[in-house]
Amino acid sequence: MTLEVTSTQTQAYAGLAGAYQEAHRPQLSYSPARNWMNDPNGLVYYDGEYHLFYQYNPNDTVWGDMSWGHAVSADLLHWTELPVALEVEKDGQGAITQSFYSGSAVVDRANSSGLGSPGQVPMVIIYTSVYPEARTLANGTQVQAGQQSQSLAFSVDRGRHWTQFSGNPVLALPPHPYRDELREFRDPKVFWHAPQSKWVMVVALAHRHTILLYCSRDLIEWEYMSQFGPAGATGGVWECPDLFPLPLDGDDSNNKWVLVVNLTPGGPAGGSGAQYFLGHFDGSTFRPDAGDACVRWLDQGPDFYAAVTWNDAPDGRRLLIGWMSNWLYARTVPTSPWRSAQSVPRELSLRTVAGQVRLVQQPVQGFDSLRRDTLLAIDDVSLAAGVDTLPRLRTAGVPVDIELVLACGSATRAGVQVHANAAGDRTEIGYDCERGELYIDRGRAGAAPFSADFAACHGAPLALVDGVLRLRILVDRAAVTVFAGAGELTMTSLVFPADESDGIALFVEGGQARLRQWRVRTLASIWPAPHE
Ligand code: FRU
């Protein structure tokens, strides 16, 4: 199969791409200018700004010295990196005295915590503190050395300066015969539960595959309510939970609750993954829907972890972001002077798809404003088996947005290759019609000597409607994000292609397919200028 593609337009982008020196720096989603980042933390919208805090090592490109980095954005696309919000604490000899692990942030409008003052609304971060020495809480609870507990910090200047609460930590598990297992108690997500006028916290008991639920009137004193788990996938530690309601099929009188539980390892593509449960929350207990035994994944690719949603997003929107990496190889991916990016933020809804309630995801509203030129617009063409012959459509390193609607016909496999070169290197995003699976194959995406776990093909079941495959694929320099069907299946995968691997081609195997619609558009970088 050969498609005539005149690539005069693409040549115009060669110069533009050359301006970016850092070949693998994501152009569609956030990364800090330098050093290590992992989980998104403290997601909250306040006063025109979306806050994105994150696990950050201010001193190195590997995990350590855990601090909270900080960035803000008006549109969830363009970010301004701010100074570190909570910086690891060390003594005079350089030994760590407090590390700041994952957590959440709320805007305490009524000053329930008393941490603000009249006219000064406090933003409050609830994080997991790790102290190397034993402590005693105000209520007498003993915190062992190294035990994880929950602590507060607050800001009265829109998150620019942070003060730690003097009564930290505010929540720890009491001593217990299984103490070693109970040391790993982390990643509090706190939200305001309006029907019962109280704060609710979900927090992970990592090794027990259990989520504990607490409530509080003031963010300071926490009362145990209930627990959930083990359930679903339990192949690794449970981390970074979230709990929120979503209307089913847009009906506000019919809310369901979604409990997100990240786990590592044991994810769908090996290593880290994000699962969710659907059910009911009555203000104190989460009850999963009866008979719902299947494991549901937020993303079936290898690189979407520690996924959590924003508090207080305008218009009741539910917005999700994940760390675009995997603990299997996060420490060794070949980028510098930064390491790791967050995903493109996503808009969530709950819909009935083929008779089943599914979480449906799309790129955040407004993402399409990054679209620039249409490189390709092809409708209604029959495709015989084959791959586009060279020269292919080339993108010169500019990120692209691909929309593909393909009637699979008699083909056994069909899809698109991106980051392709003449030597056959490529990332293949395809549908295996016989297995009914969408896959991303990064087995030949570029050299991957940094990890034996990286070069692989990851697949996930996808039911086609009337034999028609619908894909939206965001192709960044070092990542591919796929939204399939209505968005009920997403797959996110890192790739590290060589500079010259910038071709895009359709492929069809085993029979004939019909291309209903194919659009390839360039996307503007989210960075105002080459990002150093
Ligand atoms: C998840 C995680 C969290 C923890 C943080 C530490 O990736 O292990 O459970 O709070 O990273 O950086």
Side-chain angles (χ1 to χ4, degrees):
M1 173 202 69
T2 309
L3 289 171
E4 273 309 306
V5 176
T6 51
S7 61
T8 41
Q9 262 174 319
T10 46
Q11 281 160 18
Y13 294 94
L16 200 155
Y20 299 112
Q21 293 309 308
E22 297 165 302
H24 291 134
R25 181 169 216 99
Q27 300 296 308
L28 303 178
S29 62
Y30 182 77
S31 54
R34 49 194 67 246
N35 291 326
W36 166 272
M37 171 174 75
N38 56 293
D39 314 357
N41 291 161
L43 306 179
V44 68
Y45 176 83
Y46 180 49
D47 204 10
E49 292 179 322
Y50 291 93
H51 291 264
L52 165 62
F53 299 87
Y54 44 86
Q55 288 289 282
Y56 187 56
N57 182 347
N59 305 314
D60 207 342
T61 52
V62 289
W63 188 92
D65 282 359
M66 287 330 288
S67 304
W68 276 41
H70 191 193
V72 289
S73 170
D75 61 3
L76 291 163
L77 298 173
H78 303 91
W79 295 95
T80 304
E81 187 170 346
L82 296 178
V84 170
L86 299 168
E87 184 150 8
V88 66
E89 292 173 355
K90 296 188 177 177
D91 65 17
Q93 279 72 52
I96 293 178
T97 54
Q98 186 182 188
S99 303
F100 298 85
Y101 280 14
S102 286
S104 50
V106 297
V107 177
D108 182 12
R109 288 172 208 283
N111 194 21
S112 68
S113 61
L115 296 171
S117 51
Q120 284 192 320
V121 170
M123 278 176 80
V124 181
I125 281 175
I126 307 92
Y127 66 95
T128 297
S129 44
V130 190
Y131 304 99
E133 88 288 5
R135 296 209 162 196
T136 305
L137 267 64
N139 68 6
T141 303
Q142 303 284 320
V143 182
Q144 311 298 315
Q147 183 181 337
Q148 298 167 0
S149 53
Q150 320 315 325
S151 290
L152 305 181
F154 61 98
S155 163
V156 290
D157 63 354
R158 301 169 74 231
R160 271 35 179 198
H161 297 92
W162 292 90
T163 306
Q164 285 175 64
F165 175 54
S166 55
N168 280 343
V170 295
L171 177 63
L173 288 175
H176 191 281
Y178 300 112
R179 206 181 56 225
D180 275 354
E181 251 180 77
L182 301 186
R183 290 163 73 90
E184 307 241 352
F185 171 53
R186 58 177 175 265
D187 310 338
K189 171 70 189 255
V190 174
F191 63 93
W192 178 246
H193 186 58
Q196 296 177 9
S197 301
K198 64 186 186 187
W199 299 104
V200 170
M201 178 197 292
V202 283
V203 55
L205 205 43
H207 288 279
R208 286 283 185 91
H209 316 299
T210 299
I211 303 303
L212 301 185
L213 288 87
Y214 292 82
C215 70
S216 173
R217 301 279 163 201
D218 59 7
L219 294 168
I220 294 168
E221 276 189 46
W222 291 92
E223 189 188 322
Y224 171 81
M225 296 196 295
S226 63
Q227 66 182 59
F228 172 80
T234 54
V237 288
W238 277 21
E239 302 182 316
C240 302
D242 197 356
L243 178 63
F244 51 86
L246 275 179
L248 178 57
D249 295 321
D251 176 1
D252 285 325
S253 65
N254 189 10
N255 273 339
K256 269 193 175 297
W257 284 78
V258 183
L259 176 65
V260 171
V261 178
N262 292 272
L263 89 159
T264 189
S272 312
Q275 64 178 322
Y276 68 95
F277 300 88
L278 294 176
H280 177 70
F281 175 60
D282 60 6
S284 53
T285 306
F286 174 80
R287 289 197 175 77
D289 289 344
D292 190 11
C294 64
V295 177
R296 295 162 181 270
W297 299 105
L298 277 173
D299 190 289
Q300 303 247 27
D303 298 299
F304 192 78
Y305 191 57
V308 278
T309 66
W310 263 271
N311 276 331
D312 299 348
D315 308 321
R317 291 160 66 200
R318 191 49 67 173
L319 304 162
L320 175 87
I321 200 169
W323 174 47
M324 206 159 51
S325 198
N326 189 314
W327 280 115
L328 283 178
Y329 43 72
R331 301 165 183 86
T332 55
V333 294
T335 65
S336 170
W338 83 98
R339 197 176 260 127
S340 293
Q342 302 297 343
S343 73
V344 169
R346 302 171 178 190
E347 206 89 35
L348 296 188
S349 58
L350 208 54
R351 281 207 240 151
T352 311
V353 179
Q356 275 199 328
V357 179
R358 304 287 292 267
L359 206 53
V360 164
Q361 304 177 58
Q362 289 296 336
V364 67
Q365 240 177 56
F367 183 86
D368 294 2
S369 67
L370 298 177
R371 284 176 170 174
R372 292 296 178 266
D373 295 309
T374 301
L375 299 181
L376 253 187
I378 296 177
D379 296 296
D380 266 320
V381 181
S382 270
L383 305 174
V387 179
D388 277 5
T389 47
L390 292 172
R392 303 163 188 234
L393 173 62
R394 300 194 60 183
T395 61
V398 174
V400 293
D401 187 338
I402 298 177
E403 285 179 297
L404 179 68
V405 183
L406 191 82
C408 290
S410 55
T412 51
R413 276 172 183 249
V416 56
Q417 296 178 348
V418 302
H419 294 138
N421 69 12
D425 291 348
R426 81 249 160 172
T427 305
E428 189 165 289
I429 300 124
Y431 190 70
D432 184 324
C433 310
E434 285 161 350
R435 299 169 72 140
E437 263 189 18
L438 182 73
Y439 64 87
I440 301 182
D441 186 353
R442 63 177 179 188
R444 290 200 57 185
F450 55 90
S451 166
D453 294 309
F454 194 81
C457 179
H458 303 110
L462 173 70
L464 302 187
V465 181
D466 300 327
V468 176
L469 174 68
R470 286 175 186 277
L471 299 181
R472 178 155 184 203
I473 309 168
L474 308 180
V475 184
D476 205 340
R477 294 181 175 182
V480 172
T481 310
V482 183
F483 298 85
E488 72 273 18
L489 170 62
T490 67
M491 295 185 79
T492 305
S493 186
L494 291 177
V495 279
F496 296 100
D499 280 359
E500 70 281 6
S501 302
D502 67 346
I504 296 181
L506 283 179
F507 73 94
V508 174
E509 282 174 22
Q512 288 220 334
R514 187 159 188 92
L515 182 60
R516 294 263 181 89
Q517 195 183 78
W518 194 24
R519 298 281 179 279
V520 181
R521 300 177 174 96
T522 61
L523 290 167
S525 168
I526 63 165
W527 302 114
H531 198 63
E532 312 235 326

